């Protein structure tokens, strides 16, 4: 029989995150600090709106683009938060999570051979999505000494005449790095001069702990060349509701909607009604959760520094990215031993790109109580490694 599988799909590596959590799921008393999922329940008033939608029988398809009411609320949200204006009828698409929006944008814009610049370390989906279009992912290794921000010099080094898109994943998963307005202005100038489009993944925009989040679409000349990706999973603790959105120029959104139409039809109707309430009434919930994350963030940074682990201060998302280079172990070895010896699961930095070697991604989307128990175990492991290295 002939091989039934696509060679392109076979060549794509599986996610480097899942390995450890398959083990954790079968390990008694293990603690996971690896999953990027809020530990908060979806706020009750949002859940209630979803329940109400079911009770009222609102269980039919919406339009392909999503409920117009929700698209209007998204436009109100983007105006309120970023002073950005979009047409809810032609420039906004509701998707099944932010991940679908990323996939749609890349499929709508990339032809075989087109190059897509991807700063790493980064979320695991960008490279595979580009590979599935037969585009060429070109990674840009980010540096700890730059606080894992993308610099214009790093960007310029990678641009060729085949460069079409820059993925801009900030606030960043896994590093927690952010880009401030001056950083974005520098990047925007390069993009405009080289006619590059930007896929700006802003799913963690509400989880910024230094100033206000700035979207590159706010920079003059960039709205018309930016696809802004966001969603409800992180800020509103709605991961299982599977709801995201994209906003951008009509000519691109039309093609994204066409793919979405054939592949998905529409995002879950109940989730869309719940999301309307989240945008209208959820600001206080977001602020409350952000403050809790910020307390945990400060606690983890303090504890890692106390135990001698170098850790730059992240100002976004809910991850820290400590360095374990001094122990002479690879990220994979460190994470494997920590799991087997102390029953704490973290993610090797290499799951997010080769330049993540020597680092770990640790999520603080967990209660302080669990974090304290986990860090006591990490401290014991670190002390044991230090004795081994003497």
């Amino acid at each position: 029989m002939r091989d039934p599988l696509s060679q392109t799909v076979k060549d794509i590596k599986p996610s480097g995150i899942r390995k450890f959590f398959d083990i954790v799921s079968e390990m008694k008393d293990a603690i996971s600090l690896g999953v990027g999922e809020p530990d908060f329940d979806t706020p009750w008033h949002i859940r209630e709106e979803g329940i109400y939608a079911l009770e009222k029988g609102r269980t039919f398809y919406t339009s392909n683009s999503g409920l117009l009411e929700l698209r209007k609320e998204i436009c109100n949200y983007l105006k309120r938060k970023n002073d950005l204006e979009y047409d809810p009828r032609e420039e906004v698409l509701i998707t099944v999570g932010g991940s679908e929006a990323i996939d749609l944008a890349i499929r709508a814009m990339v032809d075989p051979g087109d190059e897509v610049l991807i700063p790493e370390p980064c979320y695991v989906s960008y490279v595979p999505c580009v590979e599935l279009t037969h585009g060429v992912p070109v990674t840009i290794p980010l540096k700890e000494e730059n606080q894992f921000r993308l610099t214009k010099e790093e960007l310029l080094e990678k641009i060729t005449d085949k460069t079409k898109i820059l993925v801009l994943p900030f606030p960043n998963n896994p590093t927690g790095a952010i880009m401030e307005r001056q950083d974005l202005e520098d990047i925007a100038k390069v993009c405009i001069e080289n006619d590059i489009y930007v896929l700006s993944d802003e799913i963690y925009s509400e989880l910024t702990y230094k100033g206000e989040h700035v979207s590159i679409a706010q920079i003059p000349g960039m709205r018309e060349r930016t696809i802004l990706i966001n969603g409800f999973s992180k800020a509103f603790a709605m991961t299982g509701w599977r709801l995201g959105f994209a906003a951008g120029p009509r000519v691109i959104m039309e093609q994204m909607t066409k793919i979405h139409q054939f592949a998905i039809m529409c995002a879950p109707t109940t989730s869309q009604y719940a999301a309307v309430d989240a945008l209208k009434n959820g600001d206080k919930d977001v602020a409350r959760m952000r403050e809790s994350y910020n307390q945990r963030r400060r606690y983890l940074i303090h504890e890692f520094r106390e135990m001698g682990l170098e850790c730059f201060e992240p100002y976004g998302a809910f991850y820290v990215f400590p360095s374990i280079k001094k122990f002479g172990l690879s990220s994979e070895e460190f994470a494997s031993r920590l799991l087997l010896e102390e029953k704490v699961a973290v993610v090797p930095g290499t799951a997010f790109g080769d330049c993540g070697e020597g680092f770990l991604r640790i999520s603080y989307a967990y209660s302080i109580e669990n974090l304290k128990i986990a860090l006591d175990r990490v401290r014991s492991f670190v002390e044991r490694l230090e004795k081994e290295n003497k």
Side-chain angles (χ1 to χ4, degrees), residues 227-261:
I227 301 297
L228 189 159
I229 306 293
N230 208 325
F232 298 84
S233 295
K234 312 302 182 181
F236 296 98
M238 294 177 67
T239 51
W241 298 76
R242 303 314 303 132
L243 205 67
F245 65 85
R250 179 180 60 82
V251 66
I252 301 174
M253 300 309 299
E254 281 181 347
Q255 301 309 311
M256 290 175 61
T257 302
K258 183 166 64 178
I259 302 168
H260 174 77
Q261 180 183 65

Side-chain angles (χ1 to χ4, degrees), residues 171-208:
N172 183 265
N173 169 15
T175 66
I178 63 171
M179 296 278 280
E180 297 182 88
R181 180 177 288 275
Q182 183 59 58
D183 303 316
L184 294 172
E185 287 176 349
D186 291 342
I187 298 302
K189 184 178 179 182
V190 174
C191 290
I192 292 168
E193 290 176 351
N194 291 274
D195 194 21
I196 297 171
Y197 289 87
V198 172
L199 192 163
S200 185
D201 184 352
E202 303 181 26
I203 193 71
Y204 293 98
S205 61
E206 288 280 11
L207 304 182
T208 300

Side-chain angles (χ1 to χ4, degrees), residues 46-66:
I46 300 174
R47 284 181 280 155
E48 191 172 42
E49 190 62 30
I51 294 168
Y52 182 72
L54 290 172
E55 289 178 340
K56 288 295 182 180
R58 295 172 179 170
T59 56
F60 300 94
Y61 293 133
T62 68
S63 75
N64 296 137
S65 296

Side-chain angles (χ1 to χ4, degrees), residues 19-146:
K19 171 184 174 181
F20 289 87
F21 304 108
D22 291 341
I23 299 173
V24 167
S25 65
E26 300 178 3
M27 182 180 287
K28 187 178 179 181
D29 299 325
I31 295 177
S32 170
L33 298 183
V35 178
E37 180 172 40
D39 64 318
F40 297 101
D41 292 332
T42 304
W44 171 245
H45 64 93
I46 300 174
R47 284 181 280 155
E48 191 172 42
E49 190 62 30
I51 294 168
Y52 182 72
L54 290 172
E55 289 178 340
K56 288 295 182 180
R58 295 172 179 170
T59 56
F60 300 94
Y61 293 133
T62 68
S63 75
N64 296 137
S65 296
L67 283 173
L68 182 57
E69 182 183 3
L70 176 54
R71 284 179 277 148
K72 287 180 177 178
E73 284 303 324
I74 287 170
C75 291
N76 292 337
Y77 173 83
L78 292 174
K79 175 64 176 176
R80 185 172 81 247
K81 294 289 185 177
N82 303 114
D83 197 27
L84 287 168
E85 295 188 3
Y86 292 95
D87 180 346
R89 296 182 183 275
E90 297 187 318
E91 295 184 317
V92 177
L93 171 64
I94 312 302
T95 60
V96 181
S99 295
E100 191 212 352
I102 293 165
D103 181 42
L104 292 176
I106 291 171
R107 283 203 276 170
M109 298 175 70
V110 176
D111 282 320
D114 286 344
E115 293 180 352
V116 179
L117 304 182
I118 305 173
E120 285 187 341
C122 69
Y123 178 53
V124 296
S125 288
Y126 306 127
V127 169
C129 283
V130 173
E131 291 174 336
L132 286 169
T133 66
H134 300 284
V136 181
V138 178
T139 57
I140 306 175
L142 304 182
K143 300 179 179 64
E144 184 180 19
E145 56 262 35
N146 296 329

